[in-house]
Amino acid sequence: MKDVLIIGSGISGMTCAVRCAALGVHVTLVSPFPSERSQSVMAAGGINAVLPGGEAGDSVQSHVEDTLRGGCGLGGEKAVKGLCEHGGEILRWLESIGTVFSVDDRGRPLRRAFGGQTHKRTCYCGASTGKQIVSALVMEARRFEAAGRIERRLWCCFHSALIRDGVCHGAMLYDEARGGLEAVYADAVVIATGGQNALFGKTTGSTQCDGYAAGKLFMQGAELKNLEFIQYHPTTMETPQKRMLISEAARGEGGRLFIRDGGRKVYFMEEKYGPGGNLMTRDIVSREIDAQGGRAWLDLSFLDRAVIDERLPEVRDLCAKYGGIDVTREPIPVQPSVHFFMGGLAVHLNHETNIRNLFAIGECASIYHGANRVGGNSLLAAIYSGQVAAEEISGRTGGMHPADFSGDVERERRLLEKSMDTQSAFPVMYMRDMLAETMRKHLGIVRSEQNLAQGLSDIDYDLSIAERIRYDASVMPYFNFSLTAILTLARATVTCALERRESRGAHYRSDFPQADGALGFATIIAYDGGSYSVRLDKERAYES
Amino acid sequence: MKVKILRQQSPGSAPYWETFEYDGPADNSVAGALDYINYHDDIINADGKPTTRIGWECSCLQGICGACAMVINGRPALACETFLRDLKGKSVEIRPLRKFPVIHDLVTDRSSIHENLKQANVYIGAYQPAEDGDHAHQYAAAKCLKCGLCLEVCPNYVNGRTFFGAVFANDCYLVASRNHAEGGRIRALYAEHFGKTCSKALSCMEVCPMKIPTLASIAKLNRKKG
Ligand SMILES: Cc1cc2nc3c(=O)[nH]c(=O)nc-3n(C[C@H](O)[C@H](O)[C@H](O)COP(=O)(O)OP(=O)(O)OC[C@H]3O[C@@H](n4cnc5c(N)ncnc54)[C@H](O)[C@@H]3O)c2cc1C
Ligand code: SF4
Ligand code: FES
């Protein structure tokens, strides 16, 4: 293939762009803002890889097993094997493009222990792994930009895909700087737009990740997978502007969770699970805090000051800066918050969706993490998926005569204009906030038929008025036209959670608290003119 | 608290000041305050007149992406890590960065930063670190947000046509240190677009949110070598 259009320039989008360019494919790389603003820069903890000279007893097989176990049987075995087998190679590649890893005195990457893993295999770059990888990738992409093989389009947002008869021919983009819709044709389109944070409003992640692309493509016929699996991080600090992630390292270094009962401190995790209680997996800790009323305290104040200064300086600084808290003297108020999306666009092993020539990579694609993600695997997956899609695309013959979509562009233009005329009591931004409230309330850590059904009916109401909402001329047009697809994605997510009548991984139903062996398959949801159909992927159609 | 903002509807239009009354949490950051003002169904300015939502850019809201760079009470800073409690007086004055074209209100087009780095071919190519590579310095330089605050404050940076500023010097250092073989070419570029013009005002280091040791980058690039 000759031309690829990549939407999103975080770690996955850039990796795919760089690999495509190296293989001779011309890349158009689209994102409203530069890569330095993508959520990828926020990844702090690290990236998993089994390297020669690693921890005794560790192996690729063990990484595969940890990932599959974390995913509670829903991560595809072949996909996960491919992911883990490439860890070492990916790490060497990242080094070769200049990523500044934390290294030992012989220059070998240091590793830290991360939750849910049997061995220490999380390589890191101080406390800014994602940022250091982004910086290296930006430079590598720049090399190909200078050579004209990658063309960046900033200020551009995805609007919709150009699909005819199940084949994708490019995408419609909205150019915020020039103010208009345009069709960009390509032999393949790769979606790399990250998770769907905006469904929940304030999360630990970036405000740029809104799930719009996944929602819109769903409405255009792409299937979505495992949407009900949403990872809550147990320890985040609420501030007026966002939920700040308090790293798992705080508990790793000995931090203790407690609640207050009158004047008494109750160490609820230790009481229930013993001395290791504070370090139980993210879903368990989140659920326990939820059962205690949703709030708890994380105490580090008893730790040696040197431990805090040497091993947890970021936690110390973050709490001081955003919470006015001196962690050496007082506990941190924490609550669980939405953190990562295991679900997204359903893709095959080559990262192609059910629509030919439409690919999805990074957090917006669902394939490796199953019902729960193991920390440090998402950066690895962002890179690996970008490479897999690039190899596939470069190896295919392209150059099909593009269908003519000029009529569609015209129609969408008219629709956009028409929406600007709409008068209603509610502006778009208000609806986004309403949705976030609905999702937080009805798709929380513990779910039930009744609660989910209420959520569904709230979203149905929002959807019924979405097309008549006041177009808000003072925000980017993107915020206006993206509303319906975001609501549709939210509806699909709640529908999947309703349909899964069991508890598994990050999905916990109070009315079905046990896992049901008969339901050990991925959820697939499809959309057809307003109707949503859910099925289990019993034939494992997406594992090929 | 009064929040006075220099607004501009679109790239070519005339800028104007508009004041808002802020009655939200006192421990908010400037970013949080902008969000708070924007949150309401209808936005009312301090004169009680309905107005439009304030345009500003954000992503991480924790000081690690550089999106929210603006000028707050005369000082270039990141809005999401500048707190109302630390500002003096009963009002705060916010304007967009002056060294970049305004797109809308506080949103500016900083693509010249990337264009200059691209034009000058600042990339690592083959990884060949110098033996005496300073790991901590490289790590610090790679944390650059490309936020443009250092350019906003720099007396020598005008429009980025010839002098490219601290952000450029730091990326040059990173490339030179990660690819020894490229050192000569990069040093020449550095001299051309930074070294020969920099007057060492070093205000760039004071405003840099990532505390990048630009002076150390300058010192290493000025050293005759390679
Ligand atoms: C606080 C935090 C810490 C984390 N720590 C770790 C960790 O230690 N280890 C780990 O493995 N993972 C971690 N993660 C998860 C990991 O960072 C992400 O899964 C990963 O970076 C996703 O990369 P991506 O390329 O898929 O998407 P992103 O980096 O989110 O990039 C998405 C891109 O798409 C663009 N975009 C979005 N919508 C549109 C649109 N409509 N049109 C055009 N462009 C669009 C955005 O502008 C952006 O460029 C962490 C996440 C958070 C929030
Ligand atoms: S050097 Fe500092 S101030 Fe300048 S762009 Fe980088 S992070 Fe911003
Ligand atoms: S929003 Fe990222 S630095 Fe302020």
Side-chain angles (χ1 to χ4, degrees):
Chain A
M1 285 181 162
K2 288 208 292 284
D3 276 300
V4 60
L5 175 62
I6 302 177
I7 316 274
S9 66
I11 287 181
S12 67
M14 275 196 290
T15 302
C16 187
V18 160
R19 182 56 64 99
C20 278
L23 292 168
V25 181
H26 178 267
V27 179
T28 307
L29 182 58
V30 174
S31 57
F33 302 107
S35 302
E36 283 82 1
R37 318 280 183 258
S38 67
Q39 175 169 298
S40 288
V41 302
M42 303 176 71
I47 174 168
N48 296 338
V50 177
L51 303 172
E55 196 177 80
D58 196 10
S59 64
V60 168
Q61 186 52 28
S62 158
H63 187 188
V64 170
E65 283 162 15
D66 289 350
T67 305
L68 290 173
R69 189 173 357 91
C72 303
L74 299 195
E77 211 169 315
K78 278 191 220 146
V80 169
K81 208 160 161 270
L83 175 78
C84 300
E85 275 171 356
H86 285 81
E89 192 185 310
I90 283 173
L91 221 77
R92 279 192 297 279
W93 178 68
L94 286 174
E95 264 193 311
S96 78
I97 61 168
T99 310
V100 187
F101 280 100
S102 296
V103 289
D104 63 15
D105 47 15
R106 288 168 57 195
R108 291 177 312 194
L110 290 168
R111 289 174 307 266
R112 58 166 58 120
F114 237 35
Q117 300 194 74
T118 47
H119 293 88
K120 253 193 196 179
R121 63 171 81 94
T122 308
C123 304
Y124 60 96
C125 314
S128 62
T129 309
K131 174 66 192 170
Q132 297 287 332
I133 295 176
V134 166
S135 292
L137 277 168
V138 164
M139 284 209 185
E140 186 66 359
R142 195 184 287 153
R143 180 154 79 95
F144 292 108
E145 285 173 61
R149 282 149 76 178
I150 295 179
E151 186 192 331
R152 270 195 195 255
R153 295 275 312 259
L154 293 177
W155 301 109
C156 277
C157 296
F158 172 78
H159 174 279
S160 52
L162 305 174
I163 300 171
R164 192 148 297 158
D165 302 328
V167 182
C168 181
H169 298 273
M172 248 185 263
L173 303 180
Y174 188 88
D175 187 325
E176 297 279 349
R178 283 187 244 158
L181 271 181
E182 74 180 285
V184 175
Y185 295 99
D187 298 323
V189 174
V190 181
I191 306 294
T193 48
Q196 43 255 28
N197 305 352
L199 296 189
F200 291 85
K202 289 177 181 158
T203 68
T204 58
S206 155
T207 53
Q208 278 183 33
C209 297
D210 62 7
Y212 167 70
K216 182 70 189 184
L217 290 165
F218 176 60
M219 294 175 76
Q220 293 190 283
E223 294 189 325
L224 302 179
K225 181 175 157 192
N226 286 345
L227 294 180
E228 66 273 34
F229 298 105
I230 297 167
Q231 185 172 84
Y232 276 76
H233 197 286
T235 58
T236 74
M237 181 173 70
E238 181 153 29
T239 72
Q241 65 200 49
K242 76 169 296 187
R243 299 291 183 91
M244 301 280 172
L245 179 75
I246 307 294
S247 158
E248 206 162 278
R251 283 171 291 133
E253 295 298 341
R256 299 175 76 189
L257 285 162
F258 72 86
I259 51 155
R260 289 191 211 274
D261 180 10
R264 201 167 66 93
K265 287 181 184 171
V266 180
Y267 294 91
F268 59 99
M269 289 306 296
E270 294 165 37
E271 279 184 10
K272 186 155 178 183
Y273 298 96
N278 296 299
L279 267 177
M280 297 298 286
T281 53
R282 288 177 186 178
D283 50 330
I284 293 178
V285 181
S286 292
R287 222 148 46 227
E288 293 295 344
I289 296 179
D290 194 68
Q292 302 294 339
R295 286 163 197 274
W297 300 92
L298 176 58
D299 195 9
L300 307 177
S301 63
F302 62 92
L303 292 176
D304 245 12
R305 209 192 155 110
V307 171
I308 294 179
D309 288 344
E310 276 163 33
R311 305 216 197 123
L312 301 169
E314 302 81 26
V315 173
R316 178 197 62 199
D317 295 347
L318 195 80
C319 291
K321 188 151 125 191
Y322 289 102
I325 292 163
D326 176 355
V327 298
T328 62
R329 291 154 165 270
E330 49 196 331
I332 312 162
V334 291
Q335 306 176 30
S337 159
V338 168
H339 179 56
F340 183 85
F341 297 85
M342 276 70 78
L345 287 154
V347 292
H348 295 280
L349 292 179
N350 62 5
H351 278 269
E352 192 168 30
T353 65
N354 59 315
I355 293 169
R356 190 158 170 79
N357 298 342
L358 178 69
F359 294 76
I361 57 176
E363 193 170 334
C364 71
S366 178
I367 178 163
Y368 306 103
H369 311 300
N372 216 343
R373 169 195 68 134
V374 169
N377 265 357
S378 39
L379 285 178
L380 181 64
I383 295 167
Y384 177 64
S385 62
Q387 295 183 340
V388 169
E391 303 279 345
E392 177 72 24
I393 289 166
S394 75
R396 282 200 190 166
T397 45
M400 280 201 292
H401 292 295
D404 179 19
F405 287 87
S406 49
D408 303 62
V409 178
E410 221 17 73
R411 197 183 60 238
E412 289 298 334
R413 247 186 222 135
R414 277 200 301 275
L415 276 175
L416 262 183
E417 272 165 27
K418 190 162 149 257
S419 63
M420 288 188 213
D421 284 340
T422 327
Q423 290 298 329
S424 111
F426 304 118
V428 166
M429 297 314 277
Y430 179 79
M431 295 293 291
R432 272 208 179 194
D433 291 330
M434 294 254 297
L435 173 66
E437 238 173 87
T438 302
M439 295 298 273
R440 283 199 297 262
K441 203 153 127 203
H442 300 292
L443 198 70
I445 295 168
V446 176
R447 301 144 182 197
S448 70
E449 176 101 27
Q450 201 190 0
N451 209 335
L452 291 164
Q454 183 58 49
L456 203 62
S457 107
D458 288 358
I459 299 170
D460 276 337
Y461 172 75
D462 294 349
L463 269 168
S464 73
I465 59 167
E467 299 294 346
R468 287 176 281 127
I469 286 303
R470 176 142 52 93
Y471 187 97
D472 199 333
S474 56
V475 298
M476 285 163 57
Y478 173 77
F479 282 108
N480 292 294
F481 71 69
S482 59
L483 183 68
T484 303
I486 289 176
L487 288 168
T488 306
L489 176 64
R491 196 190 188 283
T493 308
V494 176
T495 305
C496 292
L498 256 172
E499 289 292 321
R500 188 169 282 283
R501 292 183 183 80
E502 63 157 351
S503 292
R504 183 184 293 270
H507 174 69
Y508 187 83
R509 290 274 301 249
S510 56
D511 43 357
F512 298 98
Q514 302 300 328
D516 178 345
L519 303 181
F521 304 94
T523 310
I524 304 290
I525 186 164
Y527 180 93
D528 187 7
S531 76
Y532 299 63
S533 56
V534 182
R535 65 175 197 274
L536 289 177
D537 187 14
K538 289 195 174 159
E539 293 77 41
R540 302 192 191 272
Y542 280 102
E543 285 176 36
S544 59
Chain B
M1 181 175 226
K2 292 225 180 323
V3 181
K4 199 177 155 198
I5 298 172
L6 186 62
R7 306 196 58 181
Q8 185 171 331
Q9 289 302 325
S10 55
S13 67
Y16 59 96
W17 287 98
E18 185 161 42
T19 305
F20 295 85
E21 200 60 64
Y22 171 76
D23 59 3
D27 59 347
N28 226 336
S29 68
V30 170
L34 288 170
D35 201 26
Y36 181 90
I37 296 170
N38 271 346
Y39 178 76
H40 301 84
D41 281 4
D42 292 300
I43 318 291
I44 310 287
N45 67 19
D47 299 328
K49 298 214 175 75
T51 183
T52 51
R53 269 177 230 299
I54 305 155
W56 66 289
E57 202 186 313
C58 69
S59 171
C60 72
L61 289 171
Q62 57 184 87
I64 47 177
C65 82
C68 64
M70 50 188 80
V71 182
I72 302 163
N73 281 354
R75 187 186 147 83
L78 297 179
C80 70
E81 56 170 25
T82 304
F83 293 89
L84 298 176
R85 59 173 183 262
D86 299 330
L87 299 175
K88 293 203 180 71
K90 289 213 165 54
S91 69
V92 48
E93 195 182 281
I94 308 174
R95 54 186 305 158
L97 300 176
R98 273 167 278 211
K99 304 262 171 100
F100 305 94
V102 171
I103 297 265
H104 171 216
D105 289 345
L106 303 168
V107 182
T108 54
D109 183 359
R110 289 169 272 177
S111 30
S112 56
I113 296 177
H114 307 276
E115 281 307 314
N116 286 342
L117 287 161
K118 185 174 101 183
Q119 249 179 48
N121 284 329
V122 182
Y123 53 75
I124 289 170
Y127 178 57
Q128 278 181 291
E131 294 270 302
D132 57 351
D134 182 344
H135 191 268
H137 187 179
Q138 289 163 13
Y139 178 77
K143 274 171 109 173
C144 172
L145 307 177
K146 309 289 181 287
C147 64
L149 291 175
C150 52
L151 308 181
E152 178 70 14
V153 82
C154 175
N156 298 309
Y157 185 88
V158 186
N159 51 20
R161 298 238 172 88
T162 47
F163 176 73
F164 296 168
V167 55
F168 180 78
N170 283 316
D171 261 31
C172 283
Y173 161 71
L174 194 59
V175 170
S177 67
R178 307 294 273 174
N179 185 352
H180 191 53
E182 280 279 298
R185 180 179 75 83
I186 289 292
R187 276 192 176 78
L189 279 169
Y190 157 82
E192 169 70 19
H193 296 295
F194 184 88
K196 73 175 192 204
T197 311
C198 172
S199 56
K200 306 244 168 46
L202 297 182
S203 38
C204 52
M205 283 178 67
E206 272 163 45
V207 298
C208 176
M210 303 317 279
K211 307 268 174 289
I212 298 176
T214 303
L215 187 59
S217 305
I218 295 175
K220 287 189 188 151
L221 286 164
N222 281 345
R223 223 179 280 158
K224 291 261 172 290
K225 199 160 92 171

